[in-house]
């Protein structure tokens, strides 16, 4: 008898699953790349709205949109509750506040390099420690390239304020990586995880935000407020999180590597929007990151 061969349909289904995971990941990182530019444009150039306002818009709108999903959640298991706590800290208000504040002191491209550029490295490290997930040699080579590109793109700090911003970005990257590892083995569905992140962040963050008088929403121009409502409240908090967590469910450890494309996208968008033109080392770093992502997703 001839040895059994897996049906071709299984290979086609696996390929379709991989391509879908890549597509969801690319959607998420494109939105996040634009988020760095949009946020820097507001908090770093003398705009009316501050970091606290952008976080309020991000999770205020996201929490309202996803409240119906949250209301349908019943009887979470203890492991799911623990997963939710890590996800809320790693992808919710604490993460967004760290990034938004850091962008007051550091250029959009540099911030995008230091945070998403180090996320895959930290996620891989935590995956090895907690999930015994060891990347292959090709993936490791890709991670090394991502690290080299991120360090080059971030550059050496030139002031105490920049160092302060860099510390915030690295803290945010660590939180995100831990949340990503938790999500990979969680039984929460992507839409459920996103609802928990947005709704709980909304409920916990908004009361002190308004009570302590941080809100500058009433003083913001209408056009700026609408832009931030759409980008912070819908795209960054709902669409991107659902896309990223859906990609995690489809292609697992390959998903975090795509976050290294965020500095590439942010650097390119910062040219027309912010006038931040990259020099030759920056261009080479962008190329290294892009090639590193390619290697990591294949390994």
């Amino acid at each position: 008898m001839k040895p059994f061969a897996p049906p071709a349909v299984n290979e086609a289904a696996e390929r379709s699953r991989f391509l879908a995971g890549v597509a969801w990941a690319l959607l998420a990182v494109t939105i996040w790349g634009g988020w760095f530019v949009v946020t820097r444009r507001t908090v770093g150039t003398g705009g009316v709205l501050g970091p606290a306002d952008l976080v309020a818009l991000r999770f205020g709108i996201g929490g309202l949109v996803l409240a119906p999903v949250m209301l349908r959640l019943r009887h979470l298991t203890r492991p799911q509750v623990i997963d939710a706590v890590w996800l809320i800290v790693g992808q919710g208000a604490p993460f967004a506040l760290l990034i938004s504040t850091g962008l007051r002191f550091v250029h959009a491209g540099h911030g995008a390099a230091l945070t998403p550029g180090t996320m895959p490295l930290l996620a891989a490290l935590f995956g090895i420690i907690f999930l015994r997930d060891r990347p292959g040699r090709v993936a490791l080579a890709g991670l090394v390239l991502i690290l080299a590109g991120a360090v080059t793109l971030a550059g050496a700090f030139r002031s105490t304020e920049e160092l302060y911003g860099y510390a915030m970005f690295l803290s945010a990257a660590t939180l995100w990586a831990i949340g990503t590892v938790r999500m990979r083995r969680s039984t929460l569905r992507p839409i459920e995880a996103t609802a928990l992140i947005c709704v709980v962040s909304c409920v916990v963050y908004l009361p002190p935000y308004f009570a302590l008088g941080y809100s500058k929403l009433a003083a913001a121009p209408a056009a700026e407020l609408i832009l931030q409502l759409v980008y912070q409240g819908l795209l960054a908090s709902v669409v991107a999180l659902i896309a990223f967590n859906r990609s995690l469910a489809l292609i697992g450890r390959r998903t975090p590597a795509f976050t290294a494309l965020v500095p590439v996208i942010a650097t390119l968008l910062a040219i027309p929007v912010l006038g931040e033109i990259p020099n030759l080392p920056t261009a080479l770093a962008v190329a290294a990151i892009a090639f590193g992502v390619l290697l990591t997703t294949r390994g």
Side-chain angles (χ1 to χ4, degrees):
M1 293 180 61
K2 293 182 179 180
F4 174 77
V9 67
N10 288 344
E11 294 182 5
E14 186 62 27
R15 179 174 177 79
S16 176
R17 180 184 178 88
F18 174 76
L19 292 176
V22 169
W24 283 113
L26 289 176
L27 174 60
V29 299
T30 299
I31 293 172
W32 285 328
W35 177 68
F36 274 88
V37 176
V38 170
T39 301
R40 169 69 176 172
R41 174 182 171 272
T42 300
V43 303
T45 56
V48 174
L49 298 177
D53 300 303
L54 299 188
V55 175
L57 290 173
R58 177 169 180 159
F59 294 106
I61 301 301
L64 289 175
V65 170
L66 293 172
V69 178
M70 185 74 170
L71 293 175
R72 290 200 299 269
L73 285 176
R74 294 289 188 275
H75 306 300
L76 292 179
T77 65
R78 180 180 175 83
Q80 286 177 326
V81 172
I82 296 174
D83 292 341
V85 171
W86 279 111
L87 287 169
I88 291 162
V89 174
Q91 299 181 9
F95 171 84
L97 191 58
L98 283 169
I99 299 296
S100 298
T101 303
L103 284 171
R104 299 187 69 176
F105 312 113
V106 180
H107 287 176
H110 290 196
L114 202 56
T115 309
T118 55
M119 283 177 184
L121 302 168
L122 294 168
L125 176 62
F126 293 141
I128 292 171
I129 295 172
F130 297 112
L131 304 181
R132 300 184 183 278
D133 182 14
R134 300 187 180 278
R137 292 181 179 179
V138 174
L140 286 174
L143 291 172
V144 170
L145 274 176
I146 291 170
L147 175 61
V151 171
T152 302
L153 197 57
F157 70 90
R158 295 168 295 181
S159 67
T160 303
E161 285 190 344
E162 282 195 356
L163 183 60
Y164 179 62
Y166 289 166
M168 288 192 160
F169 295 143
L170 287 173
S171 299
T174 301
L175 292 178
W176 183 278
I178 294 174
T180 295
V181 171
R182 295 292 310 192
M183 184 60 195
R184 282 181 53 192
R185 65 179 183 182
S186 176
T187 57
L188 290 169
R189 293 184 300 151
I191 185 64
E192 294 171 342
T194 307
L196 284 164
I197 292 166
C198 291
V199 174
V200 175
S201 291
C202 175
V203 171
V204 172
Y205 180 81
L206 288 185
Y209 162 74
F210 285 113
L212 297 175
Y214 287 129
S215 177
K216 301 176 183 175
L217 299 179
E224 180 67 20
L225 196 57
I226 292 172
L227 170 65
Q228 299 300 337
L229 280 170
V230 173
Y231 212 104
Q232 305 283 346
L234 294 177
L235 295 180
S237 67
V238 179
V239 177
L241 279 176
I242 290 175
F244 184 80
N245 289 328
R246 179 59 180 156
S247 179
L248 275 174
L250 291 170
I251 59 176
R253 67 172 175 82
R254 291 180 171 89
T255 296
F258 281 90
T259 60
L261 286 176
V262 173
V264 179
I265 296 167
T267 299
L268 294 176
L269 289 176
I271 296 174
V273 177
L274 302 174
E276 296 177 3
I277 301 175
N279 52 26
L280 180 59
T282 296
L284 292 175
V286 167
I289 290 171
F291 189 55
V293 169
L294 178 62
L295 292 179
T296 305
T297 55
R298 289 181 177 273

